[in-house]
Amino acid sequence: MRVLLSTIGSRGEVQPVVALASELRALGQDVRLCVPPDFREWLEDLGFAVVPIGPELRGTATAHRVPPTADRIRKAAEDTVTTQFETVSVAAEGCDVLVAAGALQFATRSIAERIGAAYVYASFCPITLPSDLHAPPPMPWRSPGKAENRALWDEDARRWNTFFGGRVNEFRAAAGQPPVEDLPTHVFSGQPWLAADAALAPWPEPGAPRVVQTGAWTWPDERPLAPELRAFLDAGEPPVYFGFGSMRAPAEVAEAALEAARAHGRRAIITRGWAELAAADAPDCLGIGESNQQALFRRVAAVVHHGGAGTTTTAARAGAAQVVVPQMYDQHYFAGRVASLGLGAATEPGVPSAAALTTALDTALRPEVALQARQFAAAVRSDGASTAARRLLTTTPLSVA
């Protein structure tokens, strides 16, 4: 069977897809990936066929932000849909199953229907899938006030249909397909998958057949830590890790991070990330690039991060206390889960100050929080990708729904 796995996003979206691809390949399947060009070299080194989609994303964390207007949003939306139909159509040639993972997947189901392939949509966080029991992810344009959950989902659907639906239906009409009346319902399908850990991020409707929760898709990272990093870890008590992935972060965040670690008598590891944060030239601070978080997080006193699904799950599985500094989308959900589960603390959204990080670390570095994090780690499963791969092989070829 030939499977196309498609995602549009940063490493937090791509690495879970690689986990599923690896499991499928181990089961003898032919796997192709459609991902942003930033990850092409890495994936080809792993032996996967890659079709790059869209522009490189890494520069978005340091590029000047242009204020959005309705016209700019509409133009970007139409361009995104066009790119997806043009690129995913090529990537999907000869495929039996198309898996669209993560946000902003507008074209894949239409292409699956056109070529007679099975289709699966997978989310990495519960609140990105509609339910009356939770609101959709917070967004800057959300209507003010305390609207009911269903009203907020209806508002999201209207926005999808307004900005993306017209161009989707143009491509469908050109292929002789009927129009889609409600784009979110079309994209999510009748039974979306939730690729999130059931202990950390459970679907709020237990036993509901409408959503299949496979568990988080975790790629087993076997890379050794860099010698300089190992030496730093070995040279003293466990440091505090600071990393914000693909998020924007001004240079002063690195200074605030070190100040907060020092306030607790801790050393700091600061990941440069896509914002290219520069760590201070000091013996108690080490700046690093991308590394094996699965190994590193087992050796730190706490993990301070942006709250992406992958980083939160990796830290939870490692038994590390956490401080979440949410910026957007599902990160607010994971900030709340970390706090409510007693695994650490969260700051207010936005750029964190040294004082805010120091206060959050007051909680995260407590012995009882460290103990809770270690105990909770036992509940975080590592077989989500293998579960998803087996299900893909046994169920999806039977239906394109």
Side-chain angles (χ1 to χ4, degrees):
M1 184 169 73
R2 177 171 290 175
V3 183
L4 174 68
L5 307 180
S6 173
T7 193
I8 302 170
S10 64
R11 193 177 181 106
E13 286 75 41
V14 174
Q15 191 152 312
V17 167
V18 176
L20 179 58
S22 299
E23 292 290 341
L24 288 167
R25 184 169 63 180
L27 294 172
Q29 307 308 306
D30 184 2
V31 185
R32 183 180 299 161
L33 295 109
C34 187
V35 299
D38 310 65
F39 307 99
R40 181 174 188 170
E41 183 177 357
W42 169 47
L43 297 180
E44 289 182 340
D45 286 345
L46 292 176
F48 291 109
V50 178
V51 176
I53 183 168
E56 289 194 356
L57 301 177
R58 188 177 182 89
T60 59
T62 54
H64 175 68
R65 179 172 289 177
V66 178
T69 64
D71 287 343
R72 287 197 183 103
I73 293 172
R74 190 181 302 277
K75 176 65 164 57
E78 292 176 350
D79 289 349
T80 294
V81 172
T82 298
T83 298
Q84 289 183 37
F85 270 97
E86 292 175 349
T87 307
V88 177
S89 292
V90 173
E93 290 179 0
C95 290
D96 306 293
V97 181
L98 309 187
V99 178
L104 304 177
Q105 296 281 334
F106 303 116
T108 308
R109 186 175 183 183
S110 294
I111 295 165
E113 292 174 354
R114 186 191 310 165
I115 67 175
Y119 169 77
V120 172
Y121 175 80
S123 165
F124 300 127
C125 177
I127 65 165
T128 64
L129 294 174
S131 171
D132 289 345
L133 299 181
H134 58 229
M139 298 297 284
W141 44 262
R142 187 80 66 212
S143 297
K146 295 184 178 179
E148 295 290 333
N149 292 338
R150 177 47 51 189
L152 292 173
W153 284 110
D154 290 344
E155 179 187 23
D156 270 20
R158 288 192 295 272
R159 192 174 180 88
W160 278 48
N161 292 329
T162 297
F163 286 101
F164 304 103
R167 184 56 61 92
V168 168
N169 282 331
E170 287 178 15
F171 277 94
R172 289 180 64 87
Q177 295 173 290
V180 168
E181 295 183 0
D182 184 69
L183 187 57
T185 299
H186 168 78
V187 169
F188 295 144
S189 77
Q191 192 176 58
W193 291 12
L194 176 56
D197 183 76
L200 179 64
W203 181 245
E205 305 169 24
R210 189 173 68 82
V211 170
V212 175
Q213 185 154 18
T214 65
W217 300 349
T218 303
W219 179 60
D221 196 341
E222 298 175 351
R223 295 172 297 166
L225 297 177
E228 182 184 20
L229 177 54
R230 292 202 309 271
F232 185 81
L233 291 167
D234 292 340
E237 292 296 313
V240 176
Y241 168 94
F242 297 86
F244 302 99
S246 61
M247 294 292 99
R248 292 174 179 265
E252 55 266 27
V253 169
E255 300 171 7
L258 180 55
E259 183 179 335
R262 285 173 172 170
H264 289 277
R266 297 281 180 171
R267 300 176 299 152
I269 293 174
I270 299 176
T271 298
R272 290 187 287 274
W274 284 14
E276 296 292 342
L277 294 177
D281 184 10
D284 62 345
C285 184
L286 178 67
I288 64 173
E290 200 278 323
S291 63
N292 181 345
Q293 293 182 340
Q294 295 171 22
L296 176 56
F297 288 178
R298 297 189 183 100
R299 300 197 57 186
V300 299
V303 175
V304 182
H305 62 99
H306 58 297
T311 306
T312 309
T313 304
T314 300
R317 188 175 170 221
Q322 303 183 50
V323 170
V324 179
V325 185
Q327 304 297 306
M328 58 183 292
Y329 202 55
D330 60 346
Q331 297 165 12
H332 303 282
Y333 169 85
F334 285 106
R337 288 297 292 169
V338 164
S340 65
L341 289 167
L343 305 178
T347 69
E348 291 296 316
V351 178
S353 66
L357 292 174
T358 300
T359 299
L361 284 171
D362 286 341
T363 297
L365 293 174
R366 291 173 185 169
E368 61 269 26
V369 173
L371 177 60
Q372 172 64 9
R374 289 194 298 270
Q375 291 176 339
F376 184 80
V380 181
R381 299 178 64 96
S382 61
D383 61 350
S386 61
T387 298
R390 292 193 300 271
R391 183 176 184 89
L392 199 67
L393 297 183
T394 57
T395 62
T396 54
L398 301 179
S399 171
V400 297

